[in-house]
Amino acid sequence: MNTAKVNETAVRGSLGAEIRSLLISNIRDYAMYVALAVIFVVFTIATDRLFISPRNLVNLVNQTGYVAVLAIGMTLILIIRHIDLSVGFVAGFLGAVAAILLMKGWNVWLVVPIVLLCGVAVGVYQGLLVTRIKVPAFVTTLAGMFMFRGLLSWVTAGTGTIIVRDQTFLQFSNGYIPDLPWGQNVNFHLLTLLLGIAMVAAVVWGQVKQRQDLKRYNFPTVSPVIFGGKLVFFAVVILAVTWIMASYRGLPWTAVIVAAVLLIYNFILNKTRLGRHIYAIGGNPEAAELSGIKVRNVTFLVFASMGLMSALAGILYTSRLASATPTAGLGFELDAIASSYIGGVSVGGGVGRVTNTIVGALVIMSLTNGMNLLGVDISFQYVVKGAIFVLAVAFDVITRSRTRV
């Protein structure tokens, strides 16, 4: 009996030590989840549960869409130790271009690829300046911010606001996926719920496969108890969010678009040679160059990618507002940069995940959404966002310095 108690105590102690070790070694990744949870709890209490109502949470997803897309592109820029200050007004200008073309009667499925190609062209232009002419990215994109702000003011000078009435275009940020025919007989969106279950299955399969791969090559893995607990946690969160959406109007198209972009970029960073080169350049560009990596070409592709994401963000934002305005894009770059750093991108480059960046975007937009529900003055909102941003960067610097020691 005493032996059994000793063994039980030893198991509990080893689990506790393992949990502490995981928290310490992954504190940069876990901090954003803790911050998001705290934000949700505080605003839920402060708004008498209005913050977590199905309607507001779906609205939060739609609000986060354009910031999440920009932040994904910005993550790659920051990983390779560059920055893009022009993304906000590039998005605003290209969103206005889309609105103008739609107002002239162009087909929406022709307008969208044209605008996306324009975004790539902007990224190519800025990438050439940075990689070939050697103009610093800060200067290049700051000049781009002024240029595209001027172009946005020019194209909207006649009307001030360009109204978008194309219903297909408006569905991008205001619509929901259609339900299955037999889903009409239940009180929830059946297809959304089925997609949530499929997502849980995909996450479990991916995590199990990753664990098996680690074991195959004798890499350290967490204990089965902690591994199972992590899977249960993610399954509960996914199913809870899915049920909330299914009980309202279903999965927004914004979430589908952002999820598709996230999957593509996550695959590029983690499963391709280009992704490995991006991390290598961010870790040490000189060493990457000496090892045979074509740093200029990779940097050029990253800026072209950022232009594409700016165009997509402009489409989502214009669709969300059903209009293009002279102030569209103001401050977008700040939200994108803050989302990336809050999501764990290192100020020293070479570290960052697009999956964590999405959480950072949710942190930023949850703050905005919650403070709007409470009627907080916009000036104070900027103060709060600035404080959160500097805390995130300071936290990164502190954890990196401790890791070196």
Side-chain angles (χ1 to χ4, degrees), residues 176-203:
Y176 303 83
I177 63 172
D179 201 359
L180 297 171
W182 52 88
Q184 306 298 326
N185 300 322
V186 293
N187 295 325
F188 53 86
H189 200 277
L190 181 59
L191 180 56
T192 298
L193 193 59
L194 293 176
L195 288 174
I197 295 172
M199 189 182 299
V200 170
V203 169

Side-chain angles (χ1 to χ4, degrees), residues 50-59 243-245 247-248:
L50 178 62
F51 182 78
I52 60 168
S53 64
R55 181 174 183 176
N56 187 64
L57 288 181
V58 171
N59 184 50
W243 175 253
I244 289 172
M245 292 183 177
S247 63
Y248 182 54

Side-chain angles (χ1 to χ4, degrees), residues 3-296:
T3 304
K5 287 183 178 180
V6 170
N7 291 336
E8 183 179 353
T9 302
V11 169
R12 289 180 179 176
S14 62
L15 282 176
E18 185 178 4
I19 292 173
R20 286 193 298 272
S21 176
L22 285 172
L23 289 175
I24 293 172
S25 60
N26 297 280
I27 190 169
R28 183 186 294 145
D29 290 336
Y30 294 155
M32 73 196 80
Y33 293 101
V34 174
L36 185 61
V38 170
I39 289 170
F40 266 68
V41 170
V42 169
F43 283 129
T44 298
I45 296 172
T47 61
D48 194 20
R49 293 186 295 182
L50 178 62
F51 182 78
I52 60 168
S53 64
R55 181 174 183 176
N56 187 64
L57 288 181
V58 171
N59 184 50
L60 175 61
V61 170
N62 287 330
Q63 288 177 336
T64 307
Y66 72 92
V67 174
V69 167
L70 280 178
I72 288 173
M74 188 64 72
T75 297
L76 273 63
I77 293 284
L78 295 175
I79 287 175
I80 62 172
R81 302 187 182 187
H82 286 291
I83 196 166
D84 192 337
L85 300 175
S86 68
V87 296
F89 284 110
V90 171
F93 170 67
L94 293 178
V97 169
I100 291 170
L101 295 178
L102 290 170
M103 186 178 64
K104 291 183 176 181
W106 288 43
N107 185 278
V108 63
W109 298 115
L110 182 60
V111 170
V112 170
I114 287 176
V115 171
L116 292 178
L117 286 174
C118 289
V120 174
V122 171
V124 166
Y125 153 70
Q126 297 194 138
L128 287 174
L129 286 177
V130 172
T131 60
R132 306 298 174 180
I133 306 179
K134 302 296 183 181
V135 180
F138 181 87
V139 176
T140 297
T141 59
L142 181 61
M145 181 176 70
F146 289 132
M147 292 166 58
F148 289 104
R149 184 172 190 172
L151 288 172
L152 174 61
S153 299
W154 176 57
V155 298
T156 58
T159 58
T161 298
I162 305 170
I163 305 299
V164 177
R165 292 186 171 85
D166 188 287
Q167 292 303 311
T168 302
F169 187 83
L170 296 179
Q171 288 294 305
F172 294 151
S173 283
N174 297 286
Y176 303 83
I177 63 172
D179 201 359
L180 297 171
W182 52 88
Q184 306 298 326
N185 300 322
V186 293
N187 295 325
F188 53 86
H189 200 277
L190 181 59
L191 180 56
T192 298
L193 193 59
L194 293 176
L195 288 174
I197 295 172
M199 189 182 299
V200 170
V203 169
V204 171
W205 177 82
Q207 290 293 313
V208 170
K209 185 177 183 301
Q210 183 182 31
R211 180 179 174 85
Q212 290 175 343
D213 290 341
L214 290 173
K215 283 186 173 182
R216 185 179 300 116
Y217 296 104
N218 296 319
F219 284 106
T221 58
V222 298
S223 65
V225 175
I226 292 180
F227 179 72
K230 183 173 71 170
L231 291 183
V232 170
F233 171 78
F234 281 119
V236 169
V237 170
I238 292 172
L239 290 176
V241 172
T242 301
W243 175 253
I244 289 172
M245 292 183 177
S247 63
Y248 182 54
R249 296 177 63 182
L251 186 67
W253 280 115
T254 301
V256 176
I257 294 170
V258 173
V261 172
L262 176 63
L263 288 174
I264 292 170
Y265 274 77
N266 188 58
F267 177 81
I268 290 172
L269 281 179
N270 296 310
K271 301 294 183 180
T272 67
R273 180 182 297 178
L274 175 61
R276 292 192 292 272
H277 288 179
I278 288 172
Y279 282 117
I281 292 170
N284 191 324
E286 292 79 13
E289 187 78 53
L290 292 173
S291 66
I293 295 175
K294 297 179 179 179
V295 175
R296 290 198 305 179

